[in-house]
Amino acid sequence: MSPPFLWTRRGLVRSGLVQSLLVSGVLATRPRAAMAGPTSGPPVTSAGADVGPGVGADPLATAQHTVPAPPVGDERFTQVEEIFHNAIATGKTPGAVAAIGHEGRVLWKGVFGQRALTPTPEPMTWDTLFDMASLTKVLITAPAIMQLFERGLVGLDTPAARYLPWFAANGKQDITIRLLLTHYSGLAPDLPLDTRWQGRARAIQLVTETRPVNLPGERFVYSDINFITLGLIVEKLTGQPLAQYASRHILAPLGLKQSVFNPQAGLIARIAPTQYDENGHLLRGVVHDPTARRMGGVAGHAGLFSCADDMIRYAQALLDKRVGLPSPFPLRTDTVVLMSTPQQPAGKPDLRGLGWDIATHYSTPRGAYFPPTSFGHTGFTGTSLWLVPETRGFVLILTNRVHPDGKASVVKLRQDVATAAALALAAPTPG
């Protein structure tokens, strides 16, 4: 039997886990003086007329914003910083931007390593924009679907073919919205990429041709096709392109002025590059995911670019709304709770919310001690967000671990940072 999740300060201290883990070497230590803290410096500013967030918006050229330097690291988070330094030193990622929040406050921020290694090295900065990859699913597409649910336009247990009649082809007629959101649809992980197809119309044709590889509801298989389909449903029912809908109904209400699809040229210098594409071009400001890229940069499963400031705002708004506090998050409290609690078919061991991951083999960003009620998601490029509703806490990690050759991994980094963050939050507050 696995040990229980211990997450309160009292529980961690009483259990002696802080001391035992340090002694056992699970969390290595070294003197604070031997370690460089998070990058800091004067605020970065730019000015212009605000034209609002969303599709191609260019905050550098058209919006006033100030990016504060991260604060000096809290001594409790020394281990967190050490984990990032070690990950960069061992080639797990070129760099990282991260933040830890608790009870409505950001307690720690960190900036580490390099934004780019090639063709010219560039230092990481707090305001770096990252390809959020599959975080697009939970940040944009799932809440868009749930807004339609709140309006009575979508039913969770209604077959997706009710909204997209062509989707019923090839045995998909019984796949419901809930099964798409929880990845129990039975569909394959992705559309075929073995031919160089292009365009949204061809993607729709490929979804139409797709056959389930499992019976709907039978087993959890994480699938981009699920969220490609959900994005198409949003477009069908709203009459708007997904990026436009997201800009008006999700990003704008939250005040996320630096989160965009298909970033304009003025933003490129702030964007963390990812990998070289099949033609040898370094992807920077162009979505890394090959399916989303072939669909024009916008799809229900990938395409969003964002930064730490906007992700902190998103996380805090969601957590506040979930507990009924005043919040601009554009869904009702009961809807947010529904999304972040188990919604998979009865009796299934892989626990998924409506978009959010709760307890599957993808849940390593929970670490060892955050509670089983916590939830989150990851992105292939190296991004992750994990949320703890009881304490309105979060761990945000933004990396471009696929830069430049796609060979690095941050799976262990995410797990270790979450474990160290939980231990830090259990420690006495300095001063």
Side-chain angles (χ1 to χ4, degrees):
M1 180 176 179
S2 60
F5 288 94
L6 300 174
W7 59 278
T8 62
R9 178 177 299 174
R10 179 180 299 174
L12 281 168
V13 172
R14 280 184 176 176
S15 69
L17 282 169
V18 174
Q19 182 63 30
S20 65
L21 284 172
L22 291 174
V23 170
S24 68
V26 173
L27 296 176
T29 60
R30 82 180 188 196
R32 175 78 171 187
M35 181 182 67
T39 301
S40 61
V44 179
T45 62
S46 61
D50 185 2
V51 296
V55 188
D58 186 345
L60 279 178
T62 59
Q64 174 79 36
H65 71 276
T66 300
V67 182
V72 174
D74 185 322
E75 288 288 336
R76 291 177 299 167
F77 297 99
T78 298
Q79 281 296 330
V80 172
E81 296 171 5
E82 180 70 3
I83 290 165
F84 278 106
H85 286 299
N86 287 341
I88 291 165
T90 55
K92 300 299 187 292
T93 180
V97 174
I100 297 171
H102 184 71
E103 295 179 347
R105 296 183 299 131
V106 178
L107 300 185
W108 174 86
K109 298 177 181 179
V111 178
F112 305 92
Q114 301 290 103
R115 175 161 60 202
L117 299 177
T118 183
T120 303
E122 300 173 26
M124 187 65 78
T125 62
W126 175 253
D127 65 341
T128 295
L129 290 164
F130 292 84
D131 181 338
M132 301 303 290
S134 283
L135 275 172
T136 304
K137 294 178 172 77
V138 290
L139 298 173
I140 299 296
T141 308
I145 285 287
M146 298 310 290
Q147 287 178 335
L148 300 178
F149 166 78
E150 288 188 345
R151 293 168 56 190
L153 298 177
V154 164
L156 293 179
D157 297 310
T158 301
R162 173 82 62 86
Y163 314 108
L164 300 173
W166 54 262
F167 185 76
N170 296 304
K172 299 188 294 297
Q173 67 278 356
D174 295 328
I175 298 174
T176 65
I177 299 299
R178 190 189 302 269
L179 293 176
L180 293 172
L181 285 164
T182 57
H183 295 286
Y184 275 86
S185 67
L187 297 178
D190 200 358
L191 295 177
L193 295 169
D194 52 351
T195 61
R196 292 198 173 191
W197 60 267
Q198 289 290 332
R200 183 175 178 276
R202 179 58 178 152
I204 292 173
Q205 183 180 355
L206 289 171
V207 174
T208 305
E209 296 171 358
T210 296
R211 294 179 179 273
V213 295
N214 297 293
L215 291 174
E218 184 178 82
R219 61 190 293 252
F220 167 71
V221 176
Y222 183 85
S223 171
D224 287 346
I225 302 173
N226 293 333
F227 275 76
I228 292 170
T229 303
L230 291 166
L232 294 171
I233 289 173
V234 172
E235 294 184 336
K236 174 71 177 294
L237 296 182
T238 65
Q240 301 174 53
L242 180 62
Q244 184 180 86
Y245 179 88
S247 175
R248 294 176 178 175
H249 298 278
I250 298 172
L251 301 176
L254 288 167
L256 306 186
K257 297 183 178 182
Q258 302 179 72
S259 298
V260 300
F261 290 89
N262 286 330
Q264 293 183 355
L267 286 175
I268 299 302
R270 278 178 53 198
I271 296 174
T274 54
Q275 200 172 346
Y276 288 92
D277 68 11
E278 60 273 18
N279 298 313
H281 300 135
L282 183 63
L283 298 172
R284 187 168 194 173
V286 176
V287 64
H288 176 269
D289 180 87
T291 304
R293 196 161 69 245
R294 295 179 187 197
M295 292 178 67
V298 181
H301 70 295
L304 184 70
F305 288 75
S306 191
C307 63
D309 276 338
D310 275 11
M311 287 299 95
I312 290 170
R313 183 184 292 266
Y314 191 107
Q316 290 179 320
L318 184 153
L319 290 164
D320 286 349
K321 179 58 70 76
R322 197 183 187 281
V323 298
L325 293 173
S327 167
F329 199 79
L331 287 169
R332 300 191 308 252
T333 292
D334 61 313
T335 302
V336 176
V337 172
L338 185 70
M339 294 179 69
S340 55
T341 50
Q343 300 297 323
Q344 73 286 341
K348 299 301 180 181
D350 291 300
L351 307 186
R352 298 288 299 199
L354 301 177
W356 293 102
D357 183 30
I358 299 174
T360 70
H361 59 282
Y362 293 105
S363 304
T364 51
R366 170 185 280 118
Y369 306 118
F370 283 135
T373 52
S374 62
F375 57 95
H377 211 281
T378 63
F380 186 82
T381 51
T383 57
S384 63
L385 176 63
W386 202 264
L387 303 121
V388 184
E390 292 86 353
T391 59
R392 288 156 54 223
F394 65 87
V395 176
L396 172 70
I397 300 174
L398 301 177
T399 81
N400 56 336
R401 64 99 190 168
V402 295
H403 179 69
D405 58 13
K407 295 180 180 179
S409 171
V410 291
V411 172
K412 189 174 188 300
L413 168 69
R414 291 166 174 156
Q415 186 172 28
D416 290 349
V417 167
T419 297
L423 294 174
L425 292 170
T429 303

